[in-house]
């Protein structure tokens, strides 16, 4: 740590220590009350929050692209949505702490339990609503947290932490330091956040690209675990048994937003279904997308050739967000192989009226969310489980994979009670 | 990878690719049959296995300490235990693939499912029985694997893979390559095993110390996830409400073996219970242990002073396995703080007749297994869940924490079925 500017390091350490001390004091009732207060305070302080956001947006204008600026912006409508979301979180059921209880043949009483993780770090993009979302989920699972936002949103996030979250915690009788903040826009802040294993054992890393990979590596070297919410890119496979209208409708619905990880990124059209290709292309052109075809797709339609790997995620390519890839595949096996091997494994759907084909596709697909006649946009914690997500984890590891919600943010613990008659 | 000798790299890559191809072909029925055949083949080839083990032990004699040699040795009794264990695994229920099914308010049908991980690597100490245990658990969870044993056991493990596991898989109509092996004693083999993210996304790392930490770091840099089965050390806290006989009995039972991670490592005696200290010390002396006291413990008894951190794990300190640490603590809060902050967080138990104190201790303890009137030796997958474990994970991260068994070795996947009427 010698090479870190001490002021950043010390500042974050202080927030982490405060969050550590707060961790054992959280209760389900207290958190529900605090989240209710978050809703009220967001409404009370709407103009203050909006003003902070305007300052952030003004400072970033010209420096950041339109999509990023849009995500940075909190207008009154979006602020009201924040309040509603916090209240919705408040009313969700708390985690059941006891998963199972059983008695071993020798009489030993065993409980499998969920205990809080402690203090969790969260590093996210310059989107102030994410700060409130993530903080709410950490609290709801009785964890405390230290947040770090992309620098462009620091004013707004500071306002949300100091003027909403902390007062709400205090109003509910909980320690306000339960939510800490990295109070610098310096990227060094993110590096410190993933380097304090004694204080912050787990860090949620949103975002993709080299910066995130570097953070993950640094975390690993420091003995800090990460939940990576990285690559995405939805796949839609149009099988020969598809109805053309359904394929078109699903493609349309999967493209309502372009900067999100679960949008349609790669359309796979079966060779036996190329008759449906023109209809899909019409949808893409209507959305004014830059349609890129693989070599074999270009043989079937007049497309610009693809100049990236087939699974390349356009949503995380700021210059080319409005792009979609089209491939023509040799059948179901080919489609599912591409989805499994050439994409991040976030989500893939099939369009077909042939239920045996759908089942085969779903049985073979290994990503986090497999779909049949449903848009890839449903690969989302709120849409699937009713709880907002911290992000979607595409790791190939047991644990919270796919959409991660507060229901995932716990540690397994066994509690064992004997009476002196149990011997090994 | 340029700096790796290509022959080792190529050899492991070949085993991994074979295991990859085998992964989709495993079935619950096939695996149960194969594990039954493992039992039969172990018995059939007992003298062959014993001969390989004798060769390993002879080659290692003088080079390795007695404890390690003992773990390396497979005599006929232990070989019979291997057969029985494989048969027990065969008869355990397979994983339920569907965890939950529900219908969202919009009509969307959602299934939460468990899918296999694929090919899992396992790096373990020179204990041949671990090879069979781990292979059985990987297969039982429908994963394939590539095993790497500590070099001293390579002959025996090779015999178990090539003469037992692979023939058993073939007899059951499954691809024998489902279990691969790192066929070199060179440590480079372990480094390659954790550096093939496309082939092996997860590696189980047994063992502790710098070598394991280095492997974990290399894995992280390579984008390979690990389940670390590292530090251990059981804690027993004798509360003022304890009965002396019970404390003595639990201490005795927690010391039946000294080289295992869940043995009694640190005895915490309450200041108000120091009357029970002599009885505990008598147990330790009877076992001929080197008893080390913290400064405050030395004030209460004539002990050699502790020359290591209070949580130091003696079981993984080959020179000093027969050591136990004693501390005298200021009360329950002090005891639970030491267990939480100064030890690995594997397991801690309390001895007390005061149920409120026991509950308070268990509520505050954050390790993987908390115990009341039960020996720390129960911190074990088989003892708690009836399924043998691959090891005990002490990570502070959601997922399989504590004893990890085949029931943990899966990935979460959502399957979503719409009918065209669900819109975002």
């Amino acid at each position: 740590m010698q090479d870190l500017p001490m002021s950043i390091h010390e500042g974050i350490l202080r927030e982490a220590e405060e969050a550590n001390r707060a961790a054992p004091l959280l209760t389900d009732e207290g958190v529900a009350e605090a989240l209710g207060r978050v809703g009220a305070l967001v409404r009370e302080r709407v103009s203050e929050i909006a003003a902070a956001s305007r300052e952030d947006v003004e400072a970033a204008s010209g420096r950041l692209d339109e999509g990023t600026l849009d995500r940075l912006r909190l207008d009154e409508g979006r602020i009201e949505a924040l309040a509603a979301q916090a209240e919705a979180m408040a009313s969700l059921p708390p985690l059941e702490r006891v998963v199972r209880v059983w008695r071993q043949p020798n009489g030993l009483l065993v409980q499998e339990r969920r205990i809080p993780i402690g203090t969790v770090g969260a590093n996210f993009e310059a989107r102030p609503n994410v700060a409130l979302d993530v903080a709410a989920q950490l609290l709801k699972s009785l964890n405390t947290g230290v947040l770090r936002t992309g620098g462009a949103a620091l004013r707004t996030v500071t306002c949300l932490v100091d003027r909403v979250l902390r007062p709400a915690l205090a109003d509910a009788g909980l320690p306000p330091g339960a939510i800490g903040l990295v109070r610098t826009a310096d990227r060094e802040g993110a590096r410190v956040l993933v380097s304090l294993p004694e204080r912050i054992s787990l860090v949620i890393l949103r975002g993709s690209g080299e910066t995130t990979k570097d953070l993950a590596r640094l975390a690993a070297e420091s003995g800090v675990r990460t939940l990576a919410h990285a690559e995405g890119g939805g796949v839609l496979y149009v099988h020969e048994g598809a109805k053309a209208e359904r394929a078109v409708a699903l493609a349309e619905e999967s493209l309502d937003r372009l900067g999100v990880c679960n949008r349609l990124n790669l359309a796979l059209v079966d060779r036996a279904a190329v008759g449906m290709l023109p209809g899909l292309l019409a949808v893409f052109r209507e959305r004014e997308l830059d349609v890129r075809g693989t070599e074999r797709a270009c043989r079937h339609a007049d497309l610009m050739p693809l100049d990236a790997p087939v699974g390349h995620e356009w949503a995380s390519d700021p210059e080319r967000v409005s792009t979609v890839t089209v491939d023509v595949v040799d059948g179901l096996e080919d489609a599912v192989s591409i989805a499994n091997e050439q994409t991040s494994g976030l989500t893939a759907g099939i369009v077909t009226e042939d239920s045996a084909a759908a089942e085969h596709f779903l049985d073979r697909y290994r990503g986090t969310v497999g779909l049949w006649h449903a848009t890839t946009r449903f690969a989302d914690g709120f849409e699937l489980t009713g709880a907002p997500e911290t992000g979607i984890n595409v790791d190939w590891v047991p644990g919270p994979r796919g959409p991660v919600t507060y229901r995932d943010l716990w540690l397994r613990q066994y509690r064992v009670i004997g009476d002196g008659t149990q011997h090994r």
Side-chain angles (χ1 to χ4, degrees), chain A residues 343-380:
Chain A
T343 82
S344 68
L346 179 84
T347 182
I350 181 171
V351 198
T352 186
E353 304 302 315
D354 174 347
S355 61
E359 201 155 316
H360 190 67
F361 180 85
L362 293 172
D363 281 345
R364 297 290 307 278
Y365 181 56
R366 297 180 37 74
T368 75
V369 181
L371 310 139
W372 181 25
H373 288 169
T375 161
T376 55
R377 297 274 288 125
F378 282 129
D380 175 278

Side-chain angles (χ1 to χ4, degrees), chain A residues 9 35 39 41 43 53 56 79 109 117 128-129 154 170 208 217 232 270 275 278 291 301 311 363 402:
Chain A
H9 182 239
L35 292 175
L41 284 171
R43 290 202 182 90
S53 172
D56 274 338
I79 295 171
L109 186 71
I117 299 165
N129 60 316
L154 187 57
S208 52
R217 232 174 271 132
D270 202 286
V291 185
D363 281 345

Side-chain angles (χ1 to χ4, degrees), chain A residues 28 59 70 129 136 162 165 241 249 252 271 336 344:
Chain A
D28 289 324
D70 180 56
N129 60 316
D162 290 343
L165 282 161
E252 264 173 351
R271 229 169 10 141
V336 80
S344 68

Side-chain angles (χ1 to χ4, degrees), chain A residues 22 114 124 126 225 236 273 284 345 368 379 384 387 393 400:
Chain A
R114 301 182 176 104
F124 47 89
R225 291 283 172 169
L236 188 69
F284 300 155
T368 75
L384 297 186
N393 184 5

Side-chain angles (χ1 to χ4, degrees), chain A residues 31 49 85 88 111 131 135 157 178 184 268 276 281 305 321 326 392 407:
Chain A
V31 164
I49 300 166
Q85 178 101 317
Q111 287 184 351
V157 172
T184 169
L268 302 175
M276 293 178 236
L281 295 177
V321 168
V326 174
I392 300 184
R407 295 193 186 110

